[in-house]
Amino acid sequence: MYSGSSDGEGPDAPAQRKIPPASSMLWVRNLRRYIGSGAGLGSEALMELETKRILLDIFKEKQQKSAEAGTIPSFYKKKPEEGSISHRVQRLAKYRFLKKQSDLLLNADDLDAMWVCLRENCVIDDATGAEKMNYEDFCHIASVCTEQIGPKCRRFFSPSNFMKFEKDESGRIAILPFYLYVMRTVSLTQARIDMSELDEDSDGFLQPHEMEAYIRGLIPNLAQLRDMPAAFVQMYCRIAAHKFFFFCDPHRRGKACIKKILLSNCLQELMELHQETEEEVTDTEQAENWFSLTSAQRICDMFLALDKDMNGTLSKQELREYADGTLTDIFIERVFDEHVRRGKIGGGNAREMDFESFLDFVLALENKDAPEGLTYLFRCLDLQGRGFLTTADIHTLFRDVHQKWIEGGNYELCIEDVRDEIWDMVKPTDPLRISLADLLSCKQGGTVASMLIDVRGFWAHDNRENLLQEEEEPQEEG
């Protein structure tokens, strides 16, 4: 125990005073007041305090707006008005961006120069005679092309691109598939730029008139369409654009996504018309391509031949003459019920099929195996609108086919046997009903649809073995 204090006070000194709490000290209160005002802080601390205050104000403002707007967030922004400054700025920015992307593309001369470089620096496979290159050749060709063409070709010679192609035992790839890959990439990029220029509202979708304008711009560059009569150009663009919307706009919203158009088979089919036809091509072969001039003229002639009263639309009676009258009456009725809008003129129950609906009709029948075509037909087959077909539906649909079959002088057949055969072909998940998914998954949906709507389609299925043999005999003779 200490006998004294450190300040020299004796043992008789009074008891030690208690130290007051820090919060009650005057100098502590003054210091806190001084710091709280911000006057005693440095510039960085002041900036941090100011930032916190601003962020807090922003947060409170957003909370207030959210409370006023309710729980649904804002998802619609009004587009700038035509001719406004914001609209002009948007169009200028879009033009400059697309111009920059276009300048980065390889032109025809660049592609020719790349092909020459590939052939001059490749090796010949002794076994197959194919022109190939290994990775060292690939890198060397990249350097040569960069010197001759410029840096814009460098992106095609990345290691990841080399690994995309099939390699032989020596690790070499063929130069032709690589060159075709470059050409297709350039072609698709150019197509996207051209479509984006026509996309007036810049939403990534094309409307029918915009798609028609794109096709109209392609016609001079397509070798098989250069001789098209000027009077037929507008009708051709209308027919050609309709196929894009049939396959790329399944919900019929009146606009097709540009990305979906670029990835569709329709664009590839259209680009096939670039090829020069040196040898004569039959009308049948040309008609297989929807975008050929022969096919477009065939469709127009077909519509005009069916339109007996020349009013620009088709009635049920007129449409029954399609395909020489082999389609069943119940199918024609269902087509008008599901896919033809009620007309504004005529009687209250009068319905007439316009040219656009006729194009949908033809596309569905000519593409029965495609999901889009089969979906169109399934809506007609689904008599009750329940999303599936029962044995009663199959019996009702095939009854008309059976009647036309007998009228054609064919042998008698049992409808129940045909029904059982359809069930065996489809093998539905539910043994009591056939859905659209069942028809798509069985890979024979188009055949089943033909059997139920077209007597000629049923005849082709019934004679499939003889038809297959007839197709094989000419090949053997050749």
Side-chain angles (χ1 to χ4, degrees):
M1 296 293 294
Y2 291 102
S3 59
S5 62
S6 58
D7 55 358
E9 293 182 354
D12 297 334
Q16 188 177 4
R17 291 178 299 176
K18 293 182 179 181
I19 300 175
S23 59
S24 64
M25 294 183 182
L26 180 60
W27 68 272
V28 173
R29 295 198 299 270
N30 292 336
L31 181 60
R32 285 182 175 175
R33 192 181 303 112
Y34 183 64
I35 294 175
S37 65
L41 299 178
S43 58
E44 294 183 2
L46 282 174
M47 187 178 299
E48 186 176 351
L49 282 175
E50 184 68 14
T51 302
K52 289 182 179 179
R53 186 185 64 79
I54 294 173
L55 292 176
L56 183 60
D57 292 342
I58 294 175
F59 176 72
K60 290 180 179 179
E61 183 180 355
K62 286 187 176 180
Q63 276 190 327
Q64 184 179 357
K65 288 183 178 180
S66 298
E68 294 174 355
T71 57
I72 301 177
S74 175
F75 59 89
Y76 172 76
K77 291 185 178 180
K78 186 177 180 181
K79 295 180 181 179
E81 297 180 359
E82 185 75 25
S84 63
I85 295 179
S86 58
H87 181 259
R88 294 180 181 179
V89 171
Q90 186 183 51
R91 293 190 61 178
L92 180 60
K94 173 184 171 182
Y95 169 77
R96 289 188 175 182
F97 173 77
L98 295 178
K99 180 67 168 58
K100 180 180 179 181
Q101 296 300 315
S102 182
D103 292 340
L104 295 175
L105 286 179
L106 302 178
N107 55 36
D109 295 335
D110 297 334
L111 291 172
D112 292 340
M114 179 182 288
W115 177 242
V116 172
C117 290
L118 288 169
R119 299 202 64 185
E120 289 180 350
N121 296 276
C122 66
V123 294
I124 307 298
D125 190 338
D126 297 333
T128 62
E131 298 172 315
K132 297 185 176 182
M133 58 181 172
N134 57 25
Y135 187 68
E136 293 181 359
D137 300 330
F138 185 75
C139 295
H140 175 68
I141 294 172
S143 302
V144 175
C145 288
T146 303
E147 293 177 1
Q148 296 184 4
I149 301 174
K152 58 184 177 181
C153 69
R154 190 74 191 179
R155 65 189 182 97
F156 295 107
F157 292 93
S158 63
S160 59
N161 279 346
F162 184 84
M163 296 300 296
K164 291 177 181 176
F165 299 92
E166 182 180 0
K167 292 172 281 295
D168 60 12
E169 301 82 0
S170 303
R172 300 175 301 183
I173 66 172
I175 66 170
L176 182 58
F178 172 76
Y179 180 69
L180 294 177
Y181 160 77
V182 175
M183 288 186 63
R184 178 163 175 78
T185 303
V186 172
S187 175
L188 287 177
T189 307
Q190 184 62 62
R192 178 164 188 174
I193 292 173
D194 294 340
M195 292 181 188
S196 298
E197 288 179 351
L198 295 169
D199 182 13
E200 297 175 356
D201 50 6
S202 302
D203 61 348
F205 290 81
L206 290 184
Q207 300 178 23
H209 70 279
E210 295 169 343
M211 192 67 216
E212 291 176 17
Y214 171 74
I215 295 173
R216 190 178 297 110
L218 282 180
I219 290 177
N221 300 322
L222 298 176
Q224 299 182 33
L225 299 179
R226 289 173 185 163
D227 298 331
M228 182 186 301
F232 191 67
V233 171
Q234 183 177 357
M235 179 59 69
Y236 172 83
C237 294
R238 185 179 175 187
I239 295 172
H242 202 85
K243 182 168 185 176
F244 283 97
F245 283 86
F246 182 81
F247 284 95
C248 301
D249 181 27
H251 301 295
R252 302 297 181 265
R253 296 183 299 171
K255 59 180 183 179
C257 178
I258 292 178
K259 289 183 180 180
K260 197 168 185 179
I261 292 174
L262 293 173
L263 297 176
S264 68
N265 293 329
C266 300
L267 185 62
Q268 184 177 356
E269 186 180 358
L270 176 61
M271 293 305 175
E272 288 177 0
L273 303 181
H274 273 295
Q275 302 174 359
E276 297 280 355
T277 53
E278 297 178 357
E279 53 188 26
E280 293 185 3
V281 181
T282 63
D283 292 341
T284 304
E285 292 174 342
Q286 289 185 0
E288 292 178 356
N289 188 326
W290 176 270
F291 300 101
S292 67
L293 183 58
T294 302
S295 175
Q297 291 173 335
R298 171 183 64 89
I299 293 167
C300 283
D301 294 342
M302 190 189 309
F303 185 84
L304 293 174
L306 293 173
D307 187 15
K308 301 297 184 181
D309 55 6
M310 302 180 66
N311 66 342
T313 57
L314 301 180
S315 64
K316 295 178 183 179
Q317 187 61 36
E318 290 172 336
L319 189 62
R320 287 189 177 97
E321 300 301 319
Y322 180 86
D324 299 327
T326 59
L327 298 177
T328 61
D329 292 343
I330 189 172
F331 172 65
I332 298 297
E333 292 285 343
R334 291 294 297 155
V335 168
F336 274 77
D337 290 342
E338 294 292 332
H339 301 290
V340 178
R341 292 174 294 181
R342 194 175 303 277
K344 296 181 180 180
I345 58 176
N349 295 323
R351 284 189 181 182
E352 295 277 323
M353 176 180 283
D354 59 13
F355 189 63
E356 277 73 20
S357 299
F358 178 73
L359 292 177
D360 285 335
F361 177 77
V362 176
L363 282 166
L365 291 178
E366 295 185 356
N367 297 274
K368 291 186 289 289
D369 293 319
E372 294 81 4
L374 194 54
T375 301
Y376 179 101
L377 296 176
F378 185 81
R379 289 179 58 185
C380 302
L381 300 177
D382 185 9
L383 302 179
Q384 306 299 329
R386 297 171 296 188
F388 58 86
L389 307 179
T390 63
T391 54
D393 295 327
I394 299 297
H395 189 279
T396 302
L397 290 166
F398 191 74
R399 188 170 52 199
D400 281 11
V401 176
H402 178 260
Q403 181 180 351
K404 287 181 175 290
W405 175 266
I406 298 301
E407 291 175 356
N410 296 290
Y411 64 90
E412 182 61 48
L413 50 83
C414 179
I415 298 180
E416 285 72 19
D417 292 341
V418 176
R419 181 195 62 196
D420 294 340
E421 183 178 1
I422 290 175
W423 237 257
D424 292 337
M425 293 169 62
V426 178
K427 294 181 176 61
T429 304
D430 187 335
L432 299 179
R433 58 183 63 174
I434 295 176
S435 66
L436 176 59
D438 294 327
L439 289 176
L440 292 172
S441 60
C442 74
K443 306 301 181 183
Q444 299 188 75
T447 302
V448 172
S450 296
M451 294 170 61
L452 296 175
I453 66 175
D454 187 356
V455 66
R456 185 179 295 171
F458 177 76
W459 181 91
H461 173 73
D462 190 60
N463 294 271
R464 57 191 180 280
E465 295 180 357
N466 296 333
L467 294 175
L468 182 61
Q469 185 177 0
E470 291 177 1
E471 292 178 358
E472 292 177 351
E473 287 178 356
Q475 296 178 359
E476 294 176 357
E477 294 176 359

